[in-house]
Amino acid sequence: MTNEANLGPELRRDAEGLALVGDGMVLRADFARLLPRLRPDRLGRELLVRAARVRGVEAPTAVDATAGLGEDSLLLAAAGFTVTMFEKDPVIAALLRDALERAANEPQLAEVVARMELVEGDSVAGLSRLGFSPDVVFLDPMFPERTKSAAVKKKFQLLHHLERPCDNEEELLDAALAVRPRKIVIKRPPKGPWLAGAKPSHSLAGKAVRYDVLVPPPAPR
């Protein structure tokens, strides 16, 4: 009999959709569980939504260059953004695509996910071919691993098998700046260093996360 504990994580599909299974854990992208956070009375208080808000734009656009399981993109889409998501890991992209397809059949989520487009591939290369200047570029490079494994949320332990913490911070930030967004929003640990050493224009911090906002200078005319 095969000992599953010795096997790496694998994708499995069941009645609830696609899941990554391994190490006694199950990871599934599930947008329905975020519905309470999408209520109008709560959405506006989300730190990410506050950090990304663009005044005077009726139909804002955003690029999530490190989409992961798409939860941050969902918040942005619920706040009215049209979001282009990049995810380079094919397994994580498969989980995200499955979540989008399931959510498209949920009346409470269909309109939101209709504003979300997934592009499978590296965002540094993808940004160079974007073809438009988004209002916001959102960067959430995986935080460096904690020294104590208990400090890593259980659902993210499987993701650490697939993607490592960002090792090209300067390249990622340069690619974001090159598309000339109105602002770049960067997700960081509350006491973590600035991404690539770039001092933000301002920050919004909570107990578990900090959002650094870079506002590039206007492009020369």
Side-chain angles (χ1 to χ4, degrees), residues 3-4 15 17 23 51 60 63 69 73 76 86 88 107 117 125 132 179 184-185 190 198 200 206-207 212 216:
N3 183 356
E4 185 175 311
D23 294 338
V63 171
L69 296 179
S73 285
L76 292 175
F86 287 96
K88 66 181 179 180
E117 179 187 6
F132 68 96
V179 297
I184 298 171
V185 178
K207 292 182 179 179
D212 292 339

Side-chain angles (χ1 to χ4, degrees), residues 75-92:
L75 292 175
L76 292 175
F81 284 84
T82 297
V83 187
T84 301
M85 302 176 291
F86 287 96
E87 176 50 54
K88 66 181 179 180
D89 185 272
V91 174
I92 298 175

Side-chain angles (χ1 to χ4, degrees), residues 99-146:
L100 289 167
E101 291 172 353
R102 284 185 281 114
N105 294 315
E106 295 285 341
Q108 292 175 286
L109 289 168
E111 184 179 346
V112 176
V113 298
R115 291 192 290 271
M116 300 166 66
E117 179 187 6
L118 173 60
V119 179
E120 185 176 337
D122 179 71
S123 59
V124 172
L127 283 166
S128 69
R129 299 190 295 265
L130 196 60
F132 68 96
S133 292
D135 295 299
V136 174
V137 174
F138 176 60
L139 305 178
D140 177 17
M142 188 176 289
F143 297 165
E145 291 190 74
R146 279 65 164 180

Side-chain angles (χ1 to χ4, degrees), residues 125-190:
L127 283 166
S128 69
R129 299 190 295 265
L130 196 60
F132 68 96
S133 292
D135 295 299
V136 174
V137 174
F138 176 60
L139 305 178
D140 177 17
M142 188 176 289
F143 297 165
E145 291 190 74
R146 279 65 164 180
T147 54
K148 297 180 180 180
S149 60
V152 181
K153 288 185 178 180
K154 190 171 183 179
K155 77 168 187 174
F156 290 117
Q157 291 179 22
L158 285 176
L159 289 183
H160 279 275
H161 287 283
L162 303 174
E163 287 191 333
R164 310 306 298 168
C166 181
D167 60 359
N168 64 337
E169 292 185 357
E170 293 83 1
E171 190 178 12
L172 182 61
L173 184 56
D174 286 347
L177 287 166
V179 297
R180 299 190 179 280
R182 292 173 182 259
K183 61 172 67 174
I184 298 171
V185 178
I186 306 168
K187 190 175 185 178
R188 303 301 288 162

